[in-house]
Amino acid sequence: MYELYILGQLLFTDRSAYKLRFVLENVLGDNRKVSFGVLYPLLEKMEIAGTILMTDDLDWRGKKKLHVTQLGRERFETLMREPVKKNAHMNDVYLFKLSSLSLVERALAQKIITDFRAEKQAQRDKHSAHIDQLQRHHPDAPFLKSAMQTNQLQIGLADTYLSYLDTIESELK
């Protein structure tokens, strides 16, 4: 999952592992930490695979910068084209892809937006249907208020993603 984001970030500019970790944590959010124990083995694996290389160029902290190779560019393109799996990391993978839309052809960028929009609309529809079922089948249940709030939160989150996609799509045009 992090390979896609790392390659995308390095296609924008060479960065140190320290800076990659900082930027990655910023995208994932305050409660998601990326340890160097996870990052360095991945970077080593990517370097062995030939998708990145360590340069002699130093950042402001004196840390060597990483650079994407031609093989890394090709791997990035492959990862951007791969369908996103429906799992706990789906939103993260889409956010990584959305952050790199300017690096791919317009048709692929539009497909990524369209696919994510379909996922979020389906989630929104599922939670709306669940609210209808709760109201129909459990109008007096003690859990109704809590279940309604949870589903309304999920609808609000989906709406936020959909609005974000509208903004990105308008900037793409």
Side-chain angles (χ1 to χ4, degrees), residues 3 6 9 42 45-46 50 55 63 75 84 107 114 148:
E3 179 185 18
I6 289 167
Q9 287 301 300
L42 175 58
K45 178 182 170 187
M46 292 171 70
T55 69
K63 303 295 182 188
R75 177 70 177 144
V84 176
T114 300
M148 293 287 289

Side-chain angles (χ1 to χ4, degrees), residues 105-143:
E105 63 192 34
R106 187 162 188 212
L108 178 55
Q110 186 60 56
K111 181 175 181 352
I112 291 166
I113 292 169
T114 300
D115 290 350
F116 195 34
R117 184 183 310 282
E119 288 293 339
K120 288 301 162 187
Q121 188 61 52
Q123 287 177 3
R124 189 188 193 296
D125 294 346
K126 181 185 92 173
H127 289 288
S128 292
H130 198 196
I131 285 175
D132 291 342
Q133 290 173 350
L134 285 167
Q135 290 173 327
R136 257 185 283 128
H137 301 293
H138 306 284
D140 300 321
F143 61 82

Side-chain angles (χ1 to χ4, degrees), residues 39-167:
L39 186 58
Y40 280 123
L42 175 58
L43 293 174
E44 183 178 347
K45 178 182 170 187
M46 292 171 70
E47 192 168 23
I48 290 168
T51 58
I52 63 171
L53 59 89
M54 184 88 60
T55 69
D56 289 329
D57 197 19
L58 303 178
D59 72 0
W60 64 275
R61 296 174 48 93
K63 303 295 182 188
K64 288 187 176 185
K65 291 183 181 179
L66 300 162
H67 178 78
V68 176
T69 64
Q70 182 58 38
L71 191 59
R73 290 176 188 279
E74 293 165 10
R75 177 70 177 144
F76 170 78
E77 184 76 22
T78 298
L79 291 171
M80 288 294 280
R81 290 186 181 286
E82 281 183 359
V84 176
K85 295 176 183 165
K86 293 183 184 186
N87 60 30
H89 301 291
M90 182 184 78
N91 289 342
D92 294 339
V93 174
Y94 271 115
L95 288 177
F96 294 164
K97 286 187 176 200
L98 293 173
S99 73
S100 297
L101 288 182
S102 65
L103 300 171
V104 298
E105 63 192 34
R106 187 162 188 212
L108 178 55
Q110 186 60 56
K111 181 175 181 352
I112 291 166
I113 292 169
T114 300
D115 290 350
F116 195 34
R117 184 183 310 282
E119 288 293 339
K120 288 301 162 187
Q121 188 61 52
Q123 287 177 3
R124 189 188 193 296
D125 294 346
K126 181 185 92 173
H127 289 288
S128 292
H130 198 196
I131 285 175
D132 291 342
Q133 290 173 350
L134 285 167
Q135 290 173 327
R136 257 185 283 128
H137 301 293
H138 306 284
D140 300 321
F143 61 82
L144 179 65
K145 181 178 178 182
S146 174
M148 293 287 289
Q149 289 172 336
T150 299
N151 281 279
Q152 288 167 341
L153 172 61
Q154 293 298 329
I155 290 169
L157 292 170
D159 285 343
T160 299
Y161 275 110
L162 291 167
S163 176
Y164 177 65
L165 289 170
D166 289 341
T167 300

